Amino acid sequence: MLYRRRTLDLPRGELETPVLFPVRNIGKRSSDNTPAYADTIPEFFAAMVNARSIRNREPMWNRLTDDVSLREEMDVPDDTIIFADSGGFDFTSGEVDTTPAETLETQRRIDADIYGTVDVPLSQENRDAENERRVNKSTEYALEASDRHDGDGFLIASVHGYDPETVRNNLNYLEKNGDFDGYALGSLVPIRTDYKKVTKLILAARKATDKHLHVYGLGGLVYQPLLLYLGVDSFDSSAFIRSAGNRNYLIPGFGGEELRNIESLERLPCPCPVCGQRSLDDIREDRTALTQHNLWALATELRRFRYVAESDRDIEEYLDLRFQGNSVTQRAYKTAKQQMRRLT
C-alpha cells in the first residue's frame, strides 16, 4: 500500500495531506454557486479555482485588481488554502488562449497557495500525433513556468499521458529540467470508466516521483479510496455539485443514488448536519442542502479511510469490502493490488 500522510508548508499555513480540494465555480458563472462549507466541514478549508475563468470574468477581475481579495469574493476565511489551476480542461477542444506568464501573474494576483501549470489535456477523439503534441506542449509550458516562478507559491507541473511509459518519461524529464514542488496528473476524467487504465497511469506517476502527487478531477466517492490506496496526496472534485444538480445523493461506502429511487424513505440514510433533522422530501427540494450533504459524504469517505489506516487495520481487507458491490471497480482494485505487490 502506498497511502501516506504528509504536511505541506504553504503561504497560508500548513496543509495536511491527503486532502480533497472541492472545486469552486467562481468565474465560471455570474455568481459562484458553490455552497458555503469552509466553516462547517473541518477537512475542507481548501478550494480549487480556475485561474483563467477568474481572469476572464471582467467585472470580478476588476474588483480583484482593485481592493477586493479572492477570499473576500468567495466569502471564505482568510486562511483558506487556494489551489489555482490554469483552466486547462477548457482547452480540451479549443485553443490555448493564455500563457505561462499570464497564468502565473493571475495566480500571484489572487494570492493562491498552489499554482498548477498551463496544460493541454488529451482526448480519445484525437489522433495519436495530436495527443503527443499536447503532451509535449504541456511539458513546454511547465518548464517555462518553472523558469518564471519566483518561489512564493507551491508550483505543480501538470502532466499528461495515455500510457504509463509516457507519464513516467514526462515526469522524469520535468524533474531533471525544471524545479517543481509536485506534479498533477490530468486527462483522466474522459477515461475515468476505464479503471484499469487509470490505475496503471496513476501508479506510473507515483512510482516516478516521491514529490507531492495530485490527480485532477477524480475525487468522487468511487475513486477516492482507490486514489488513497495508490498514494495520491491530493485530488479535486466537482462531483458534489454535478450530482446535486441531477438529484443524485452520495452515500459513503456505496456511491451515488438518485433520490427518485429511494423516495419511499421518509429519512435519508445519513446523520450528517444537513440530513440529520430533515426529511427526504425537504432535501430533494433544496439543491443547496443536497450539495452540502454530498460534500459531507466525501468528507466521511476520507475520514473512514484515515481511520482504517491510523488504527492499523488491514486496509486491503477494508477495500475488498468497499469495492465488492461493483465488479468494475473491484477489478481495478485487484489490478492495483497486483501491481503494488510487484513493487515489494
Side-chain angles (χ1 to χ4, degrees):
M1 182 196 63
L2 299 176
Y3 170 78
R4 62 191 199 170
R5 294 188 68 179
R6 292 193 169 184
T7 303
L8 302 183
D9 187 13
L10 301 172
R12 295 262 161 180
E14 293 184 343
L15 180 66
E16 300 290 332
T17 68
V19 64
L20 167 69
F21 288 89
V23 172
R24 296 291 299 245
N25 281 334
I26 189 165
K28 281 287 190 180
R29 305 158 50 94
S30 57
S31 62
D32 181 9
N33 71 339
T34 310
Y37 62 80
D39 286 331
T40 58
I41 306 179
E43 285 84 354
F44 299 153
F45 59 95
M48 170 76 80
V49 301
N50 182 323
R52 172 180 175 272
S53 294
I54 291 171
R55 190 181 186 106
N56 288 348
R57 179 69 65 176
E58 188 172 349
M60 179 187 298
W61 184 244
N62 289 339
R63 291 193 297 274
L64 294 175
T65 53
D66 188 6
D67 60 355
V68 176
S69 74
L70 177 64
R71 290 164 182 82
E72 288 173 327
E73 186 78 20
M74 294 168 63
D75 193 24
V76 298
D78 190 55
D79 60 354
T80 300
I81 303 293
I82 300 293
F83 185 154
D85 79 349
S86 69
F89 195 71
D90 296 336
F91 310 137
T92 302
S93 57
E95 290 299 314
V96 177
D97 60 3
T98 187
T99 65
E102 182 179 66
T103 297
L104 279 171
E105 181 194 359
T106 304
Q107 291 162 330
R108 292 183 188 123
R109 184 65 67 92
I110 64 177
D111 206 10
D113 298 271
I114 302 175
Y115 304 167
T117 61
V118 178
D119 57 325
V120 194
L122 313 182
S123 172
Q124 290 178 293
E125 297 177 2
N126 293 338
R127 294 180 181 274
D128 289 346
E130 170 60 16
N131 278 335
E132 183 178 355
R133 185 193 70 81
R134 287 169 173 251
V135 168
N136 294 335
K137 200 65 182 174
S138 295
T139 301
E140 178 186 321
Y141 287 145
L143 291 174
E144 183 179 340
S146 175
D147 290 340
R148 293 178 176 274
H149 183 45
D150 60 13
D152 285 346
F154 195 82
L155 186 64
I156 297 278
S158 301
V159 178
H160 299 271
Y162 271 168
D163 63 85
E165 184 179 7
T166 299
V167 169
R168 188 163 47 247
N169 290 344
N170 199 5
L171 269 166
N172 290 336
Y173 184 80
L174 288 168
E175 184 68 13
K176 181 179 179 180
N177 295 282
D179 185 11
F180 302 100
D181 298 295
Y183 300 93
L185 188 58
S187 297
L188 300 183
V189 171
I191 60 169
R192 63 188 178 277
T193 56
D194 190 342
Y195 292 93
K196 190 172 182 178
K197 183 173 186 177
V198 169
T199 298
K200 289 182 176 180
L201 294 173
I202 293 171
L203 267 177
R206 180 70 287 167
K207 288 187 288 184
T209 181
D210 188 55
K211 289 184 177 179
H212 184 92
L213 179 62
H214 182 87
V215 168
Y216 284 131
L218 291 185
L221 280 187
V222 174
Y223 260 109
Q224 196 180 116
L226 195 57
L227 297 181
L228 295 169
Y229 178 72
L230 296 173
V232 174
D233 298 298
S234 64
F235 30 86
D236 60 271
S237 178
S238 60
F240 63 100
I241 300 174
R242 290 182 286 102
S243 294
N246 296 324
R247 296 299 184 268
N248 203 355
Y249 184 83
L250 301 185
I251 307 172
F254 293 90
E257 184 71 68
E258 291 186 36
L259 286 174
R260 65 183 180 183
N261 294 336
I262 53 173
E263 59 185 10
S264 60
L265 294 176
E266 182 180 351
R267 299 287 175 183
L268 288 159
C270 173
C272 77
V274 179
C275 304
Q277 302 297 320
R278 302 176 69 175
S279 68
L280 183 151
D281 288 341
D282 192 14
I283 297 293
R284 178 169 48 200
E285 298 305 316
D286 187 344
R287 179 172 170 174
T288 295
L290 182 53
T291 306
Q292 289 174 321
H293 155 78
N294 285 346
L295 263 176
W296 271 106
L298 295 176
T300 301
E301 191 77 55
L302 183 57
R303 288 184 187 186
R304 285 180 177 177
F305 195 101
R306 282 178 171 167
Y307 163 71
V308 173
E310 299 302 319
S311 62
D312 291 327
R313 283 168 166 75
D314 190 316
I315 286 181
E316 291 190 347
E317 284 187 5
Y318 167 70
L319 292 178
D320 285 335
L321 291 172
R322 173 65 180 82
F323 291 123
Q324 69 178 0
N326 186 319
S327 61
V328 177
T329 52
Q330 189 177 50
R331 286 196 299 272
Y333 167 58
K334 286 182 178 179
T335 298
K337 189 159 54 172
Q338 290 167 359
Q339 293 182 70
M340 206 87 74
R341 287 173 178 168
R342 294 192 192 111
L343 300 178
T344 59

